Amino acid sequence: MSELTGSQIIAKALRAQGTEHMFYLMGGPMLQTENSCMREGIRAIDVRHEQAAAMAAMAYARLTQKPGVCMAASGPGAINLTTGLAHALIDCSPVVAIGGSSPSNLVGRQAFQEIDQVAIMKPVTKWAARAEHLDRIPELVNTAFQKAMSGKPGPVYLDFPADLLFETIEESKLDLGFARRPPLAARPQGDPARVAQLVDRLRSAKRPVVVSGSGVIWSRASAELQAFVERTGIPFFPTPQGRGCVPDDHELAFGTPRSLAFKEADLVLIVGTRMNYIIGHGVAPRFSKEATIARIDIDAEEIATAAREVEIGIVGDCREVLKQLLSSLDGKVDGKAYAEWRAHLKRHDDARKSEAAAEAYSSEPVHPIRLLREINAIAKRDAILCVDGQEILNYGRQVMPTFAPGHRINSGPFGTMGVGVPFGLGAKVAKPDKQVIVVTGDGAFGFNAMEIDTMVRHEVPVLLVISNNGGWSADWPKGKPGRDLGFTRYDVLAQSLGAYGEYVERVEDVGPALRRAQAQVDAGVTAVVNVKTDPAARCTTQQFTLSMT
């Protein structure tokens, strides 16, 4: 019977877990591990910065509905994963991160890149552990996948000391069956009494709304959510990360009077999303003090520790609880009762949309809204949109629709800038047959711009559109320290890396440039369209935090 190294065991365990792709940056002591993964048939995408590996793995996870895998070398390499892992933690996205570390037999002797990586990773992950025994590696890898997907999804970290990676063990002493255990994927139903309580409250409500988030995506409850809002006739409002579960052009989607609806609602049903700053913590003045708050969430702690009392808290899987609600509605909830409420919101929605449509934005410099409209014109209905930045992100929330579950990925509740390019990479690897469009500000683009090189080398064709307003955020009010970046020719950078690049200044040239660039992407070439946009254009939107850039 042959012997296996720790590196080979890791690779076999990852493959047994169903890993098909991983994102990494090479370096000791992980070189043998990375080679072993490739020999096991795992497609390994090597990036230019470890944070991009973690971010790409997160986008991959959101679109495949299984953990994304990233890998880094010891010390600074592993630590560079933390920004992406922290983003995944706040976004509740499952990522399995693997890092090499200094030899365990040299701990305390100031070995090369010696630092307590597990302690560093614990605050930015659901779970972090260090491997100590070769024969338990398959079990440890499976535990990581189980924890990443169980309950509220999130990132995990496995630390592998260099000596363990090179140590060997007879294959007969290993039980790789541990690594083949499928994720538990528990789908608990809600308390029937609380479900009945919610149905009763729906009967008495006059102005209900549904606020939904990523939990609907992870529980694969899009069909059930759409069936619920259609059966009840309740207006729905997704969080930015939850868009597409019900198409944005659905007749019960009232995007523009969001703040009005929240303030006037007498029943707020929150499905699969946190009561965080994105929805004003569910408290006044964003919501009425008199409104009843109902909530469906897989995590009891989320409900119990909300900033506002949740009168009807239902702990359970979104899909299962929505099924319970659907089976309880007959003869009890009539959507006609909310007709006046829907008409009220529709009047405001139509007025705002008519007002917006009347503005052509034909002046120069190009307005971000005009740029986004041109992108909408070339985007397929099931396009995956990765949006990143400040002004362009906020305008995108207002102007760019999403029609498919999970096909909208952005800076998320953690507000991480620089995610757009690696998100595009991970999304295209996950869904190579889908159109992937990255829309990013110029400041945000700079964080991970070199991942264009990764896309070119690995033949992962993505369309990247840069809203280049010459700096961080709008140049208003004047005097922001460190705001100005200049109108850099990022298209020339893209060309130097082997991608297609165009620079656009005139409004009439935006659409043709986008079409040419998409044609290049369709031919297998990554393309960058660098559009000079109005520095003074500042998006006026709901202020979520005490300070804004």
Side-chain angles (χ1 to χ4, degrees), residues 13 20 55 60 73 99 156 179 202 208 219 321 361 408 423 444 457-458 482:
E20 299 175 280
M55 292 170 181
Y60 181 92
V156 298
L202 286 168
S219 65
V321 176
Y361 296 102
R408 184 65 161 262
F423 276 2
R457 286 185 293 108
H458 288 276

Side-chain angles (χ1 to χ4, degrees), residues 42-384:
I42 297 172
R43 184 186 180 191
I45 312 292
D46 60 304
V47 298
R48 297 296 298 268
H49 193 290
E50 291 89 352
Q51 71 174 2
M55 292 170 181
M58 183 193 132
Y60 181 92
R62 283 183 66 91
L63 288 156
T64 60
Q65 296 280 289
K66 64 180 184 180
V69 176
C70 59
M71 195 175 290
S74 59
I79 293 170
N80 279 344
L81 294 171
T82 55
T83 299
L85 295 179
H87 186 92
L89 179 70
I90 304 304
D91 198 74
C92 300
S93 295
V95 173
V96 174
I98 295 173
S101 58
S102 54
S104 58
N105 61 342
L106 295 178
V107 170
R109 291 188 173 184
Q110 299 182 32
F112 177 64
Q113 295 185 334
E114 180 186 348
I115 196 166
D116 190 345
Q117 294 170 194
V118 174
I120 291 169
M121 293 295 182
K122 281 185 176 179
V124 296
T125 59
K126 284 181 68 177
W127 176 78
R130 192 176 212 211
E132 297 179 353
H133 306 285
L134 282 181
D135 60 342
R136 293 194 63 187
I137 289 177
E139 176 187 354
L140 195 64
V141 170
N142 180 262
T143 299
F145 276 77
Q146 298 282 0
K147 286 184 176 291
M149 287 298 290
S150 65
K152 187 168 59 180
V156 298
Y157 173 74
L158 292 177
D159 194 74
F160 288 94
D163 51 330
L164 195 70
L165 294 171
F166 294 101
E167 190 178 329
T168 60
I169 186 174
E170 286 187 15
E171 192 170 357
S172 61
K173 295 181 179 179
L174 280 176
D175 183 2
L176 281 167
F178 272 116
R180 287 188 284 269
R181 291 186 299 183
L184 182 59
R187 294 192 176 278
Q189 289 190 332
D191 180 347
R194 290 184 178 271
V195 172
Q197 183 185 4
L198 177 54
V199 172
D200 286 342
R201 184 65 186 91
L202 286 168
R203 293 176 65 181
S204 61
K206 302 297 182 185
R207 300 179 303 281
V209 295
V210 171
V211 181
S212 61
S214 292
V216 177
I217 296 172
W218 292 114
S219 65
R220 302 178 187 235
S222 298
E224 287 76 13
L225 178 64
Q226 183 165 339
F228 176 76
V229 297
E230 288 176 350
R231 285 271 301 277
T232 60
I234 299 176
F236 73 91
F237 299 88
T239 62
Q241 291 291 77
R243 290 176 68 171
C245 289
V246 180
D248 278 347
D249 59 354
H250 193 280
E251 64 179 355
L252 290 170
F254 300 100
T256 59
R258 186 185 192 92
S259 294
L260 175 73
F262 286 1
K263 286 180 180 179
E264 296 186 1
D266 62 356
L267 171 62
V268 182
L269 173 56
I270 300 170
V271 184
T273 192
R274 290 169 164 172
M275 288 174 65
N276 58 14
Y277 73 96
I278 296 292
I279 60 170
H281 307 286
V283 302
R286 196 86 196 276
F287 292 85
S288 168
K289 292 180 180 179
E290 285 71 42
T292 299
I293 304 295
R295 192 171 178 190
I296 302 169
D297 202 285
I298 191 74
D299 187 353
E301 186 177 348
E302 280 283 347
I303 297 175
T305 60
R308 173 174 177 168
E309 181 185 358
V310 177
E311 288 88 347
I312 308 173
I314 304 176
V315 179
D317 174 74
C318 287
R319 189 171 73 182
E320 293 305 311
V321 176
L322 286 169
K323 285 180 178 178
Q324 289 177 277
L325 284 168
L326 286 166
S327 65
S328 304
L329 293 175
D330 288 342
K332 297 178 182 177
V333 178
D334 186 354
K336 293 178 182 178
Y338 314 135
E340 185 177 336
W341 171 233
R342 292 192 299 270
H344 171 60
L345 295 179
K346 190 175 188 306
R347 284 192 296 272
H348 285 271
D349 196 36
D350 290 345
R352 291 285 299 275
K353 287 177 178 177
S354 296
E355 181 182 328
E359 176 57 67
Y361 296 102
S362 57
S363 61
E364 292 169 358
V366 177
H367 195 283
I369 289 180
R370 179 59 182 264
L371 171 58
L372 292 168
R373 287 177 177 175
E374 297 289 354
I375 295 171
N376 290 344
I378 67 155
K380 297 179 180 178
R381 188 169 177 83
D382 63 350
I384 299 169

Side-chain angles (χ1 to χ4, degrees), residues 461-483:
V462 173
L463 173 60
L464 300 101
V465 185
I466 303 170
S467 175
N468 188 346
N469 66 357
W472 302 99
S473 77
D475 194 16
W476 183 91
K478 293 283 188 180
K480 297 178 187 176
R483 183 265 167 199

Side-chain angles (χ1 to χ4, degrees), residues 21-27 30-31 33-35 37-38 42-50 52-54 56-57 69-73 81 98 425 451 454 457-458:
H21 302 88
M22 73 177 200
F23 303 89
Y24 77 105
L25 200 158
M26 60 88 73
M30 299 299 292
L31 297 177
T33 308
E34 292 146 3
N35 272 327
C37 287
M38 288 182 264
I42 297 172
R43 184 186 180 191
I45 312 292
D46 60 304
V47 298
R48 297 296 298 268
H49 193 290
E50 291 89 352
V69 176
C70 59
M71 195 175 290
L81 294 171
I98 295 173
L425 171 67
E451 299 313 324
T454 306
R457 286 185 293 108
H458 288 276

